Amino acid sequence: MDGNGRWAKKHGQPRVFGHRNGVQSVREATEAAAELGVEYMTLYAFSTENWGRPKAEVNALMTLLVQTIRKEIATMNKNNIRLKAIGDLEQLPSKSHKALLEGIENTKNNTRMTLVLALNYSAKWEILKAVKTLAQEAKDGKIDPKGISEATFDDALSTKGIPHPELLIRTSGEQRISNFLLWQIAYAELAFLPIYWPDFRKQHLYQAIIDYQNRERRFGKTSDQISDSE
Ligand code: FPP
């Protein structure tokens, strides 16, 4: 969800104005995805690197998070949407952490779509954590290092049980991944949209999905092999 700050600047407003307007885009994206039958959507809301921003902006983002979660729980329940989170959640301010856990608990039985918030998340942090967990288990004799498979590694990540993304969308025109789901996006299709996040509307998701549907996902195979198996 990139470009909130630049969007605010374009409108002659402080950066926080961009984040506040970004909440409407979160609603649009979530509603559109649920309506289309998307089962999992992950939003990169706060990276581990984002702590380096000015304190006032970090505080404003954390407050916005608490407010948005509290405000949207009823709508999520009405629409059968389950909230989840990935990242180093315990390091979040206690108020944000509490609101997040409440949101997760209150929506845990919903089944239509899972909305995953990446908060205080960094893919390198997550991969290192998984490596340490598996190394410790091997040291303790609980697992055989030779038996570590992609599936074992998947289960050691904070995305355990969440399917790998098929499509990754980044707004604002930047064409990089910025430490997001590095392991999980090995075969994801990438879409870089030239709009700032607060301008994101349902139509943008529809278009990105149409573009995705017109791509050929070969997973390392040849085009002929893919069309023969269809
Ligand atoms: C990136 O734009 C955006 C963020 C770091 C925050 C995203 C948060 C929201 C949209 C708030 C609501 C979220 C939820 C899930 C409740 P940027 O600030 O990096 O923009 P810039 O690159 O133009 O400076």
Side-chain angles (χ1 to χ4, degrees):
M1 302 189 283
D2 199 12
N4 292 350
R6 279 164 285 167
W7 184 89
K9 196 169 176 195
K10 198 177 93 183
H11 289 83
Q13 298 286 338
R15 296 178 54 81
V16 176
F17 182 74
H19 298 315
R20 283 199 200 106
N21 279 273
V23 175
Q24 182 54 31
S25 308
V26 170
R27 276 191 212 105
E28 294 253 345
T30 309
E31 218 179 280
E35 283 164 1
L36 289 175
V38 170
E39 290 176 18
Y40 289 85
M41 183 168 77
T42 303
L43 298 173
Y44 203 177
F46 195 87
S47 74
T48 311
E49 290 79 17
N50 285 151
W51 293 115
R53 293 191 172 200
K55 204 163 178 271
E57 183 175 343
V58 172
N59 290 344
L61 272 170
M62 290 299 153
T63 306
L64 193 59
L65 183 75
V66 175
Q67 286 171 347
T68 309
I69 292 174
R70 295 230 162 101
K71 206 164 145 227
E72 301 295 336
I73 287 180
T75 317
M76 281 194 263
N77 278 330
K78 208 170 93 198
N79 291 288
N80 199 10
I81 294 169
R82 174 170 72 145
L83 183 69
K84 261 184 173 268
I86 55 168
D88 194 358
L89 308 176
E90 262 137 49
Q91 302 305 318
L92 291 170
S94 61
K95 243 183 161 177
S96 314
H97 191 215
K98 195 166 161 261
L100 186 65
L101 295 185
E102 276 168 19
I104 293 170
E105 178 62 25
N106 284 328
T107 60
K108 69 176 182 200
N109 296 321
N110 295 338
T111 53
R112 185 180 179 197
M113 182 174 90
T114 302
L115 178 68
V116 186
L117 296 184
L119 283 166
N120 194 18
Y121 175 85
S122 124
K124 285 188 173 180
W125 162 81
E126 176 185 48
I127 290 169
L128 269 181
K129 190 166 171 275
V131 167
K132 285 179 195 164
T133 305
L134 294 173
Q136 189 63 48
E137 286 177 7
K139 195 176 162 210
D140 296 344
K142 290 185 190 147
I143 57 164
D144 176 1
K146 289 196 203 78
I148 297 174
S149 62
E150 286 192 18
T152 322
F153 198 74
D154 264 329
D155 286 350
L157 296 169
S158 63
T159 48
K160 179 181 176 180
I162 300 172
H164 292 176
E166 293 166 301
L167 171 64
L168 182 148
I169 302 173
R170 181 177 186 150
T171 53
S172 96
E174 304 294 354
Q175 300 190 11
R176 45 174 185 267
I177 306 300
S178 300
N179 219 346
F180 187 56
L181 300 176
L182 294 179
W183 165 271
Q184 299 89 335
I185 61 163
Y187 276 103
E189 294 293 329
L190 309 180
F192 298 103
L193 308 192
I195 53 154
Y196 294 139
W197 178 251
D199 287 329
F200 189 94
R201 290 296 171 266
K202 287 184 176 185
Q203 206 53 44
H204 296 109
L205 185 69
Y206 300 155
Q207 193 54 54
I209 292 178
I210 290 168
D211 291 347
Y212 165 87
Q213 286 171 330
N214 287 320
R215 294 189 195 181
E216 184 183 60
R217 304 187 76 206
R218 291 195 293 275
F219 301 97
K221 297 188 174 166
T222 69
S223 195
D224 287 347
Q225 285 174 308
I226 299 300
S227 47
D228 287 349
S229 66
E230 275 169 4

